Amino acid sequence: MSFAAEAASGVPTLPEVHSGIPQYLLEKATHAKNWVFEGRTKEQRARQRLPVVPLGIERDEFLKALSELKETLGNEHVEINDKPLQDGWYMEHPNTHDMMTILDDEEFVASAVVYPSTTEEVQEIVRWANKYLIPIFPISMGRNLGYGGAAPRVRGSVTIDLGKRMNKILNINAEDYTCLVEPGVSFYALYNALEERGLRDHMWIDTPDLGGGSIIGNTVDRGVGYTPYGDHWACHSGLEVVLPTGEVIRTGMGALPGNNTWQSFPYGFGPYSDGIFSQSNFGIVTKMGMTLMPNPGGYESFMYTFQKEEDLAPLIDIIRPLRISNILENVAQLRHVTQAIAASGLPRTKFYSGTGRIPSDVIHAAAAETPVGDYTWAYYGMSYGPAHIRSHKLALIDAEFHKIPGCRKIDPSTLPADEYFWSRDRIAAGIPDIHELRWVNWAPNGAHIAFSPVSPIRGADATQLFELGKAVQDKYGIDFFPAFCVGLREMHLIVEIVFNRDDPEEKQRALRCLREMVDLAAAKGYGEYRTHLVLMDQVAGTYKWNDGALGKFNERLKDALDPNGILAPGRCGIWGKRYRGFGWELGSERTDGGSEGHGVGPRVE
Ligand code: ADP
């Protein structure tokens, strides 16, 4: 499709496709699409591509294997990736590659995409992969943007797009507040289903910033949302998993035939095995249970601003006891004003055309023009429950926050409908949105990738990480977007780097900057909670206590469960035996820009 045609076509809706937008967001999504294409200069590759055949198999043998798989799944459910790579945008994203790639477009690409419709077909695909030693990479929706999207780590892997045909909500239990979903159920779709069934006033979902991802994909990658049920992994209960050798298991109570507690008691009996299926490559999740939140009977968003960068440390120390005692009830965000300016959706060039980090006075001048006025940090939170309960908590928060000189409580009635605050308000109430895409327009052909270290909720740690990130990003001349997401006993600093994915120099700079921040943070005891494909080996390498004992344990599990190493090789820095020793790991020392090793080992007998 040409650029213009792509931009002009409508946004797919939920009744049309499983990955579509709900009606209430259609207008907003159409605007978002226009913005994305206004800043787009990157040409799509016009040439027809050969499929990238994975290392370890000859082209003819590979094509023969795919023909065999077509017989099993049906011709139309096996697609060879031989068309020009098309980046699309959030709502029309590719399942063949990372639309926000930081390496060359041709690195993290699939050779083919397959579409199973049942757990049995997933088992067939896994057995087929073992027969031919072809790497496979499961995705649910493939919208894991900033972490690799739909892309496989090993070039030429066959992507298993689970979501396209396995997208049923199998059960919503309104009495127990639970549900059971397949991989292709997005946050948008679950929210819509509650609306359609008249259950929305009864129960809430928890959604991340953008609601187009799948509940399963986000949860297994340990994503977060912003209601009190924001820790998705902690809120799931029960998995069905296809193992890398083709067997299928149900975890927790799901292992007991005839049980009726799979979605309400996560542990069952014996070792709690679910953990090894998150941020790993040990299995393919085909069903998952999730808990839903009772409607709290009222809610109220609040926003406070703080004037100075140095307010960070005392503020974090104020937040800690409030958060641990649940006065601050949700994973709340403390955001730097620079990202708020970018969240206007306007490109950086509207504010500044120089190189290096955008000067503070430019940002503050822009902030002064907004309805919120000038500030450095904004805290977005929500209080839940009936008014008399909220008022008690809100009074405590107000008194504590006002201990910081210059603190301002923003009156929501002064804010226009498209102000970022209202997007935070919806998300903290479990209403999925699409607003958060806007700051990606900061750069032309905007893409993003994150530095996301975990630390205690302590002022000294916040300051240390803030200073570290700022110094390294200044060195590389990159605008700095820090946001602290405060969990119950820890916080993640999320620093998004926005880059032009059509500019090789800018991409390289962003990657070098990230690598340096990861290593410097690790040297001070801070580790990433989640990361992009390109950084997985490096991040896994920082978890190296006792001569890398945890990494070795993961390798032992991998070799036992996946002897041929066919399932998502390299994901989260875990490589099966056939890949080890062939130079697949990506770290700072790798400077050729490639992502492949120099071969693979033979079948493991
Ligand atoms: P989303 O559905 O939120 O868009 P993705 O489908 O991109 O998320 O999944 C995020 C990551 O989690 C993927 O890169 C993949 O490695 C892993 N993943 C997703 N779904 C599954 C699944 N059903 N089983 C195992 N791993 C999965």
Side-chain angles (χ1 to χ4, degrees), residues 278-295:
S278 80
Q279 290 196 0
S280 77
N281 46 16
F282 299 156
I284 301 176
V285 177
T286 45
K287 293 183 181 65
M288 187 184 76
M290 196 73 188
T291 47
L292 296 162
M293 181 174 142
N295 182 338

Side-chain angles (χ1 to χ4, degrees), residues 137-144 149-151 162 183 187 212-218 220-221 277 280 283-286 568 571:
F137 193 89
I139 58 168
S140 285
M141 202 76 87
R143 283 197 177 124
N144 202 20
L162 297 153
F187 294 93
S214 72
I215 296 160
I216 289 185
N218 182 280
V220 298
D221 211 29
F277 299 112
S280 77
I284 301 176
V285 177
T286 45
R571 180 161 157 71

Side-chain angles (χ1 to χ4, degrees), residues 350-504:
K350 287 266 189 265
F351 301 94
Y352 187 66
S353 53
T355 54
R357 176 157 58 87
I358 187 165
S360 290
D361 54 347
V362 174
I363 290 294
H364 286 296
E369 298 296 313
T370 66
V372 174
D374 187 25
Y375 65 92
T376 293
W377 296 105
Y379 186 97
Y380 297 92
M382 183 173 274
S383 182
Y384 300 86
H388 66 282
I389 292 179
R390 292 199 309 264
S391 65
H392 174 66
K393 292 181 283 196
L394 288 168
L396 278 172
I397 295 164
D398 195 65
E400 287 299 306
F401 280 8
H402 272 103
K403 289 180 180 165
I404 308 274
C407 161
R408 282 191 297 134
K409 182 168 190 195
I410 304 300
D411 175 0
S413 71
T414 63
L415 301 177
D418 69 342
E419 167 62 41
Y420 182 65
F421 170 86
W422 294 114
S423 148
R424 295 253 56 96
D425 175 64
R426 283 185 289 276
I427 287 167
I431 304 170
D433 206 341
I434 193 167
H435 198 103
E436 197 73 21
L437 276 184
R438 290 191 184 189
W439 49 259
V440 188
N441 294 330
W442 192 241
N445 309 301
H448 63 99
I449 185 166
F451 166 58
S452 36
V454 175
S455 81
I457 314 171
R458 239 174 255 132
D461 293 284
T463 306
Q464 184 154 207
L465 280 170
F466 176 77
E467 295 297 344
L468 182 158
K470 191 167 157 194
V472 180
Q473 294 204 192
D474 274 356
K475 174 175 160 190
Y476 289 95
I478 294 173
D479 291 332
F480 189 41
F481 291 178
F484 289 91
C485 297
V486 187
L488 253 188
R489 296 255 180 330
E490 56 73 47
M491 62 188 181
H492 310 349
L493 165 61
I494 310 282
V495 179
E496 291 284 3
I497 294 186
V498 180
F499 61 93
N500 177 354
R501 69 178 182 285
D502 201 28
D503 182 338

Side-chain angles (χ1 to χ4, degrees), residues 551-594:
K552 289 177 197 165
F553 174 71
N554 287 336
E555 283 181 359
R556 267 162 65 192
L557 284 174
K558 181 70 177 165
D559 292 345
L561 293 171
D562 184 7
N564 289 314
I566 47 96
L567 184 60
R571 180 161 157 71
C572 293
I574 306 165
W575 297 93
K577 189 156 183 269
R578 285 181 48 243
Y579 284 82
R580 297 201 290 273
F582 287 92
W584 285 88
E585 294 80 4
L586 288 179
S588 312
E589 63 292 342
R590 176 99 184 230
T591 52
D592 65 357

Side-chain angles (χ1 to χ4, degrees), residues 144-156:
N144 202 20
L145 298 187
Y147 299 105
R153 168 64 180 83
V154 165
R155 200 161 174 266

